Amino acid sequence: MGDFNASVGQQIAEEQAIRQFGWGEHNERGQMLVNFCEARKIVIGNTLFKKGNGRKWTWRRANGETLNEIDFVLSSHQEILTDASVLNKFTTGSDHHLVIARINVRGSQTQWH
């Protein structure tokens, strides 16, 4: 889980790191993150789960007009991720929103924030 300052966008062609629910467009740093994940067989967990736009973006520019999804949950074990989402109503004093992931390890659910 981390602030990668990368926009991975939607899945392109044969990419396995991004799944069907990517948001936005690739940028240069996003492509670097995708390449890193592809080489290591890592999935970008945020792209596994369908969410409304308000539950996808993680960063807002100070002018309030630009929204991006740049904070991600990465996993080399896709099957343990049961959800990844953004806590958009929780104020942290930051221009980033919190990302939450639910994982299932050995049959019991655990939350990481």
Side-chain angles (χ1 to χ4, degrees):
M1 189 175 294
D3 173 5
F4 295 96
N5 287 330
S7 180
V8 299
Q10 298 178 5
Q11 186 179 40
I12 297 175
E14 302 296 319
E15 291 175 339
Q16 294 299 306
I18 299 174
R19 299 303 166 86
Q20 72 184 85
F21 299 113
W23 190 73
E25 298 179 17
H26 278 48
N27 65 12
E28 185 177 345
R29 289 181 64 101
Q31 190 59 57
M32 289 170 46
L33 179 59
V34 170
N35 293 345
F36 173 86
C37 292
E38 292 283 325
R40 289 156 183 81
K41 297 185 171 117
I42 294 172
V43 67
I44 300 171
N46 309 46
T47 67
L48 292 170
F49 306 99
K50 185 176 183 176
K51 303 289 177 184
N53 287 343
R55 302 284 290 206
K56 292 293 282 182
W57 65 270
T58 61
W59 174 81
R60 179 192 326 228
R61 186 178 302 275
N63 68 12
E65 295 177 18
T66 304
L67 307 174
N68 278 315
E69 182 181 32
I70 61 173
D71 306 295
F72 299 101
V73 175
L74 306 181
S75 178
S76 58
H77 300 286
Q78 172 186 333
E79 66 279 359
I80 70 168
L81 291 172
T82 61
D83 192 27
S85 191
V86 175
L87 297 177
N88 58 2
K89 297 197 183 215
F90 189 83
T91 303
T92 63
S94 171
D95 54 354
H96 291 260
H97 281 169
L98 295 176
V99 177
I100 185 172
R102 291 185 194 274
I103 62 171
N104 188 339
V105 180
R106 295 188 195 127
S108 65
Q109 283 199 4
T110 304
Q111 278 189 186
W112 288 353
H113 300 272

